[in-house]
């Protein structure tokens, strides 16, 4: 993790970091300065360990550090998957990993491999089984996971949920789109400027009484995002998304619902985009054993450690920690 925090992306780079650190740093890491692990040893280790256990062990520590930074009364966990494109070989498809991420902290709490014999839907419950207590937690997921079996599972665990609804549930999507949204006032409205554009987000909510065929559903939501470039003030693009939740009016304010929905979308930027752009994950040549999943877990852990320290620019943080080998130790509390 120290080497990955410093921006290293491969077994060779990790081994070079280990070889270059001063004797005092090696001792702090539990290594004899004259007997440091080689690239071959590091490679064999990372190709053999269980990435799920690694993620679980580190997430407990990271979540403890981030507990004070929670911004809402409930914990929200986003479930999302990512393909490790660089792990593709001539005879094998690329590995696919699904993760559960604490929205507020930006920390990955659990992960599971989705092999070619199954899909994300069947791995939803095994993924969340890795998290001990889900009571009163809000689970957010994309349209693929808008499944009746999923909400039954979450009800048994005492968790709440917000699920996007799209074309894979055509009847439910049609029912939501057909609700009298024009007669409903905005429950929440937010405006944001950045990256040369302005975005207006609105959320409408309707209490579900009859006519919506989905178990445990309490409210239907319509989220509308209107964007325009600041240099083209008259040209707007509009995106409308429907969602459904078991949270009742007295259980969550509209501002919280909007924050959790936006928080789910932001995981793509907080985690996946950083792994692809900053760590160049899609071009990684690591393909043997559990190596691809373990390296993905280490990148998640490094990003989580940096974010819990209040750092938002991960690339700059990598460079900062690469200039002094004691800095990763200080970040991770190693003395």
């Amino acid at each position: 993790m120290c080497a990955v925090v410093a921006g290293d992306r491969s077994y060779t780079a990790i081994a070079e970091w280990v070889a270059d650190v001063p004797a005092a740093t090696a001792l702090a890491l539990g290594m004899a300065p004259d007997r440091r692990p080689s690239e071959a040893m590091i490679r064999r280790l990372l190709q053999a360990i269980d990435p799920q256990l690694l993620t679980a062990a580190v997430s407990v520590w990271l979540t403890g550090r981030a507990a004070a930074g929670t911004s809402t009364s409930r914990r929200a966990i986003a479930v999302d998957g990512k393909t490790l494109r660089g792990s593709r070989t001539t005879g094998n498809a690329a590995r696919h990993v699904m993760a559960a991420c604490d929205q507020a902290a930006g920390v990955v709490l659990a992960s599971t491999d989705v092999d070619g014999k199954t899909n994300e839907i069947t791995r939803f419950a095994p993924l969340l089984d890795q998290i001990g207590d889900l009571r009163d937690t809000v689970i957010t997921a994309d349209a693929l996971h808008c499944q009746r079996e999923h909400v039954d599972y979450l009800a048994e665990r005492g968790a709440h949920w917000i699920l996007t609804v799209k074309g894979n549930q055509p009847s439910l999507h049609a029912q939501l789109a057909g609700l009298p949204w024009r007669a409903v006032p905005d429950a929440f409205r937010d405006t944001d400027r950045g990256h040369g554009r302005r975005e207006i987000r609105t959320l409408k909510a309707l209490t579900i009484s009859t006519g919506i065929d989905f178990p445990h559903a309490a409210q239907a939501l319509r989220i509308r995002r209107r964007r325009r470039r600041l240099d083209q003030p008259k040209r707007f693009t509009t995106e409308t998304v429907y969602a459904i939740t078991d949270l009742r009016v007295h259980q969550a304010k509209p501002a919280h619902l909007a924050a959790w929905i936006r928080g789910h979308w932001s995981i793509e930027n907080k985690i996946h985009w950083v792994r692809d752009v900053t760590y160049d994950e899609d071009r990684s040549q690591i393909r043997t054993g559990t190596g691809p999943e373990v390296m993905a877990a280490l990148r998640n852990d490094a990003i989580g450690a940096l974010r819990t320290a209040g750092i938002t620019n991960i690339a700059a943080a990598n460079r900062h920690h690469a200039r002094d080998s004691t800095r990763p130790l200080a970040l991770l509390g190693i003395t």
Side-chain angles (χ1 to χ4, degrees):
M1 272 191 67
C2 286
V4 178
V5 162
D8 291 335
R9 307 171 181 177
S10 65
Y11 301 147
T12 300
I14 294 172
E16 289 171 349
W17 187 90
V18 170
D20 289 343
V21 297
T25 301
L27 288 169
L29 290 167
M31 299 183 294
D34 59 347
R35 190 176 175 82
R36 307 182 190 209
S38 65
E39 187 274 341
M41 184 272 176
I42 292 170
R43 173 166 32 85
R44 288 196 299 270
L45 173 67
L46 297 186
Q47 289 174 352
I49 63 176
D50 186 327
Q52 294 184 19
L53 294 179
L54 173 64
T55 297
V58 178
S59 69
V60 169
W61 174 72
L62 288 176
T63 303
R65 297 181 74 193
T70 304
S71 58
T72 62
S73 57
R74 297 180 190 272
R75 179 173 65 162
I77 296 175
V79 173
D80 201 10
K82 183 181 185 299
T83 299
L84 309 178
R85 293 180 177 84
S87 63
R88 183 183 293 107
T89 63
T90 302
N92 296 292
R95 311 283 181 90
H96 190 86
V97 176
M98 188 163 66
C101 181
D102 186 297
Q103 286 193 11
V107 173
V108 173
L109 305 174
S111 66
T112 185
D113 183 29
V114 182
D115 61 38
K117 298 179 182 179
T118 184
N119 56 44
E120 283 194 21
I121 295 174
T122 61
R123 301 303 297 162
F124 182 85
L127 171 71
L128 293 177
D129 281 342
Q130 299 175 41
I131 303 175
D133 188 0
L134 288 180
R135 287 173 297 178
D136 284 334
T137 297
V138 178
I139 305 298
T140 63
D142 60 24
L144 178 66
H145 295 289
C146 187
Q147 306 289 334
R148 287 160 174 77
E149 296 83 359
H150 289 2
V151 298
D152 287 339
Y153 165 83
L154 293 173
E156 291 176 2
R157 297 286 309 271
H160 297 285
W161 46 267
I162 304 173
L163 301 174
T164 304
V165 180
K166 291 186 178 179
N168 63 317
Q169 293 279 359
S171 297
L172 179 60
H173 185 271
Q175 290 171 355
L176 295 178
L179 293 173
W181 294 111
R182 289 190 177 183
V184 180
D186 292 341
F188 180 79
R189 181 185 176 93
D190 184 32
T191 302
D192 189 26
R193 290 174 180 262
H195 305 287
R197 67 185 182 187
R198 182 187 184 205
E199 181 174 282
I200 302 171
R201 295 179 294 271
T202 59
L203 179 140
K204 294 185 176 185
L206 273 172
T207 299
I208 294 174
S209 54
T210 59
I212 300 297
D213 181 23
F214 201 78
H216 312 290
Q219 292 190 84
L221 310 173
R222 193 195 77 172
I223 306 96
R224 177 162 286 178
R225 294 183 288 181
R226 298 189 69 203
R227 300 186 185 93
R228 69 172 175 85
R229 289 175 49 179
L230 296 181
D231 59 348
Q232 297 178 350
K234 295 184 179 180
R235 296 185 60 181
F236 277 90
T237 60
T238 302
E239 179 185 13
T240 300
V241 176
Y242 297 101
I244 197 165
T245 180
D246 73 322
L247 288 161
R248 301 184 182 278
V249 174
H250 69 277
Q251 293 177 308
K253 296 179 180 179
H256 287 160
L257 295 172
W260 290 325
I261 293 168
R262 191 181 182 197
H264 181 82
W265 292 332
S266 70
I267 295 304
E268 183 69 28
N269 295 327
K270 285 184 177 180
I271 304 293
H272 296 171
W273 187 88
V274 174
R275 279 165 45 188
D276 282 341
V277 176
T278 304
Y279 285 105
D280 204 15
E281 182 173 83
D282 280 351
R283 293 200 298 171
S284 172
Q285 298 299 300
I286 295 173
R287 296 166 179 166
T288 304
T290 59
E293 294 91 339
V294 169
M295 284 302 299
L298 287 173
R299 295 179 191 114
N300 286 337
D301 295 338
I303 294 167
L306 292 167
R307 292 205 184 280
T308 57
I311 295 168
T312 57
N313 189 326
I314 305 300
N318 287 163
R319 296 191 297 270
H320 171 80
H321 288 87
R323 293 195 294 270
D324 185 339
S325 67
T326 63
R327 290 173 179 173
L329 273 65
L331 175 76
L332 302 178
I334 300 171
T335 58

